Amino acid sequence: DKGYISVVTGNHDLPRVAFGRDEEELKTVFAFILSLPTVPLIYYGDEIGMDYTRLKNKDGGYCRTGARTPMQWTDGKNAGFSETDGELYLPLNADYEAVNVERQKEREDSLLNTVLRLVEAKRNHPELFSARTGIELVSDTYPLVFDLLHL
């Protein structure tokens, strides 16, 4: 009755959730995050596994700039983020040709499509809702299992 608990995948001040993880590990991370009875918050690019690039901040401070690189929409010009012929404020991640929304939409087993199926499962199963109105959760019914191969 006092609000919701939120679980975030990251933000502009932290290394990305993909840092040091492969695609299969990220699917497990998202299955965990999206199965908790909380409000999930997904930082842009985490749903495709955008990596954290070690970059010094423009102001010379901490190394958090690597989580602020342009969204990787396509493998085309500026990763589909901008049509400019000029230089972007921050560089593209080196892997944008392989890790982007357009490419992941094509692969049924991609991280993006897995995250979309997990979000849909969260919407369709009241046990995973943030608000428990009218739902009694039984605490001794565990574990919760996601079969990522068939989701």
Side-chain angles (χ1 to χ4, degrees), residues 108-144:
E108 185 65 27
D109 68 336
S110 71
L111 177 60
L112 175 62
N113 283 321
T114 299
V115 170
L116 290 172
R117 285 189 297 274
L118 288 165
V119 167
E120 189 64 26
K122 186 166 186 77
R123 285 185 183 144
N124 291 328
H125 295 280
E127 302 83 5
L128 303 176
F129 288 0
S130 302
R132 295 188 181 125
T133 309
I135 298 170
E136 184 177 330
L137 296 179
V138 181
S139 62
D140 61 352
T141 57
Y142 63 89
L144 175 62

Side-chain angles (χ1 to χ4, degrees), residues 56-69:
K56 190 172 186 179
N57 286 6
K58 293 282 187 172
D59 61 8
Y62 301 99
C63 294
R64 58 189 186 177
T65 302
R68 300 174 181 188
T69 55

Side-chain angles (χ1 to χ4, degrees), residues 32-106:
F32 179 75
I33 289 170
L34 291 165
S35 65
L36 294 171
T38 63
V39 176
L41 301 171
I42 300 173
Y43 184 57
Y44 83 92
D46 284 351
E47 72 280 13
I48 62 168
M50 275 183 63
D51 205 0
Y52 173 80
T53 303
R54 292 181 186 269
L55 297 171
K56 190 172 186 179
N57 286 6
K58 293 282 187 172
D59 61 8
Y62 301 99
C63 294
R64 58 189 186 177
T65 302
R68 300 174 181 188
T69 55
M71 179 63 183
Q72 298 166 192
W73 295 103
T74 71
D75 61 2
K77 178 181 178 179
N78 297 321
F81 177 77
S82 171
E83 291 296 319
T84 187
D85 291 324
E87 186 177 333
L88 298 174
Y89 182 72
L90 292 175
L92 300 172
N93 287 351
D95 66 354
Y96 80 92
E97 291 178 336
V99 179
N100 62 67
V101 172
E102 185 177 67
R103 186 158 290 183
Q104 288 200 21
K105 280 183 175 180
E106 297 170 356

